Every structure is written in structure tokens, then in C-alpha cells.
Amino acid sequence: MGNIPEGARRVFKGIRYEIYQWPQKMFDGSEATFEMIKRADSVEALVVVGDKILIQEEQQPHVPYPFLSPPGGNVDEGENYEAAMSRELLEETGYAVDSWELFHVKAPLQSMQWNMYVYIGRGGHKVAEPHDDPGERITPRFVSFEELLELVDSGKLYRFEQTLRFMLLRAKYDPVRREELRKRIFG
């Protein structure tokens, strides 16, 4: 929604987040301190492998149970978004795709300078063994489009960009939108 203004002062730098503050003129002429969080942009994708969509069953030390998610992760500094998505997909699943299509970009939180880039990857194929980070265990899973709609509706997909989640829910209950979305995903 917004960006951190030029001249804002960084008051905290952590591993993933930075916090910036700046003086802001109010409508009545007074001044208040505003602040915003900044983090690296993220990517995630619906990856098409044949007539299925690749999702992941994932475990992380800070989450007490396994969960389902799309492949994705953080964009490294200086990295372009498709390269980040390709890197994350390969690391997490051992898969690559023939082509990427940007599905949409969303700034999930008004108080954070952070964008989520959602892609559709077509022509998914295995090229290597996955290389999980020490803090994750990931198992690729393949679901049909209909199974994906059910997983979203049941709430079993732990991480999924919100706009995409709403599109999938609408598609489950609206046959016209279901076919439009199916064509958009599968090409």
C-alpha cells in the first residue's frame, strides 16, 4: 500500500525485518511519529506438472504440525523474481519449469513494505533432488485442480497468498470462474 518515505530512520534491523520511523505532519498541523516494517519480497507459485499441481507438505521447527503450502520463499537482494521462484522451486522440490507467468502481485499488509509475487509455472519436470534448508522438511505432493479447490476450502493449505486463495474459493462454487481459472492455470 505504501512505501517507506525517503529520509525515514531505521530503528531496528533483524534477520528478516527492519523497522523504520519518520515524523509525519497530521491534518491539523501537529506531528506524529509513523513507522513501517520492511522485509524482502516473496514469491510463490502454482506449478503445473502434467495434469496436476505441485504443492508441498512441509514441516518447520516453529510450527508444531506438518502443513501444506505452494513452493516459494524470499527474494534475495539483487535477485529477479522469476530467478527467485526458480531457485526456491529447485531447492524445495527438485523441479524446474519450462515457463513462468506472473499471475499477480499483492502487498499483503498496509503497515509493511513487502510484495508477494505469485506465478504460474508450466511444464514442471524433475531435474534434481531437493535440498531442504536445515529448518525445513519438504515433500512434494501432486493434486488435481479439484483437490486443490477442496484443500483451500478446508483450510488445509497453511500458506497461500490471500487473493489467490479467494480466487480458488470462488472457483470452487462458481462453475464459470472454475473453468476460467482452470484455463488460466493450465494454459
Side-chain angles (χ1 to χ4, degrees):
M1 175 127 191
N3 288 319
I4 296 168
E6 203 172 302
R9 185 172 62 92
R10 185 175 68 197
V11 297
F12 173 79
K13 180 172 175 43
I15 296 167
R16 179 174 279 182
Y17 302 100
E18 297 176 6
I19 299 177
Y20 288 82
Q21 293 180 342
W22 64 94
Q24 181 70 50
K25 283 271 193 205
M26 305 307 288
F27 294 123
D28 68 0
S30 64
E31 194 173 273
T33 299
F34 276 41
E35 66 184 7
M36 187 176 280
I37 299 170
K38 180 180 180 180
R39 66 161 286 175
D41 289 339
S42 302
V43 290
E44 70 179 32
L46 291 171
V47 176
V48 177
V49 179
D51 64 347
K52 302 285 185 188
I53 297 168
L54 186 156
I55 60 171
Q56 320 178 138
E57 184 171 311
E58 188 169 350
Q59 286 183 282
Q60 293 186 1
H62 67 288
V63 180
Y65 48 84
F67 58 91
L68 299 174
S69 68
N74 290 326
V75 178
D76 291 339
E77 192 172 330
E79 187 176 36
N80 79 45
Y81 299 103
E82 286 184 15
M85 192 60 248
S86 293
R87 175 184 49 77
E88 288 287 348
L89 179 64
L90 183 62
E91 287 173 4
E92 294 176 347
T93 67
Y95 276 73
V97 297
D98 294 334
S99 65
W100 290 114
E101 176 188 330
L102 182 61
F103 190 71
H104 72 268
V105 180
K106 179 76 175 180
L109 300 170
Q110 171 180 334
S111 61
M112 185 181 291
Q113 186 173 306
W114 167 48
N115 289 310
M116 174 69 88
Y117 289 75
V118 180
Y119 284 90
I120 298 171
R122 294 194 189 88
H125 53 281
K126 187 158 184 165
V127 295
E129 290 303 312
H131 296 286
D132 295 344
D133 288 339
E136 58 190 12
R137 291 185 183 137
I138 297 173
T139 304
R141 234 174 108 178
F142 302 91
V143 296
S144 69
F145 181 70
E146 289 72 23
E147 289 171 308
L148 181 66
L149 299 180
E150 287 299 322
L151 287 168
V152 169
D153 193 29
S154 72
K156 292 181 181 173
L157 281 168
Y158 179 76
R159 293 187 182 161
F160 229 47
E161 191 279 320
Q162 194 173 33
T163 303
L164 179 58
R165 183 186 306 271
F166 291 144
M167 287 178 181
L168 290 164
L169 282 171
R170 284 187 199 120
K172 180 178 181 202
Y173 294 102
D174 182 334
V176 172
R177 288 185 183 210
R178 183 180 311 124
E179 281 313 303
E180 289 171 355
L181 189 56
R182 182 191 314 270
K183 285 179 186 172
R184 175 101 191 262
I185 292 170
F186 287 95

